[in-house]
Amino acid sequence: MKIALPIKNKLEQRSMPLPWSGCTVWIASVGSHGYGDFRQDGQYKLAHRASWELVNGPIPAGMHVLHRCDNKLCVNAAHMFLGSNLDNMRDKVRKGRH
């Protein structure tokens, strides 16, 4: 029987720090959306959201976890902030990804 690693261990074992950027990038599975992902206890999880929750607690309903660094593979919770869908759209436009 395969024992699931705690999320903290998965994040540590499947990411790598990039010293020149401060980012810690996910080096395992990446979905078509460009974000790191994994399965835990039969549930699909996005790595950056799991990292946010590990450090900051649950994500309120309807909120997005946005990247200050604009790196979809970054799982450094210090590079993230919560925002509404409107905040997410404004962030996308401000960064020229619209």
Side-chain angles (χ1 to χ4, degrees), residues 2 9 19 30 46 52 54-55 68 83:
K2 185 176 179 181
N9 291 17
V30 177
L46 292 173
W52 171 272
L54 187 65
V55 173
R68 285 186 183 92

Side-chain angles (χ1 to χ4, degrees), residues 23-79:
C23 291
T24 300
V25 294
W26 185 253
I27 56 172
S29 174
V30 177
S32 61
H33 40 60
Y35 293 96
D37 58 18
F38 63 95
R39 293 191 72 75
Q40 181 77 18
D41 300 326
Q43 292 185 347
Y44 170 79
K45 299 203 177 271
L46 292 173
H48 72 291
R49 290 177 64 89
S51 178
W52 171 272
E53 289 184 320
L54 187 65
V55 173
N56 299 293
I59 300 165
M63 296 300 280
H64 296 264
V65 178
L66 310 175
H67 287 89
R68 285 186 183 92
C69 60
D70 207 29
N71 182 345
K72 289 181 173 186
L73 295 178
C74 183
V75 294
N76 180 348
H79 286 195

Side-chain angles (χ1 to χ4, degrees), residues 35 67 70 72 88 91-98:
Y35 293 96
H67 287 89
D70 207 29
K72 289 181 173 186
N88 192 28
D91 188 53
K92 181 194 282 189
V93 169
R94 186 172 47 253
K95 292 174 178 171
R97 292 185 289 102
H98 60 291

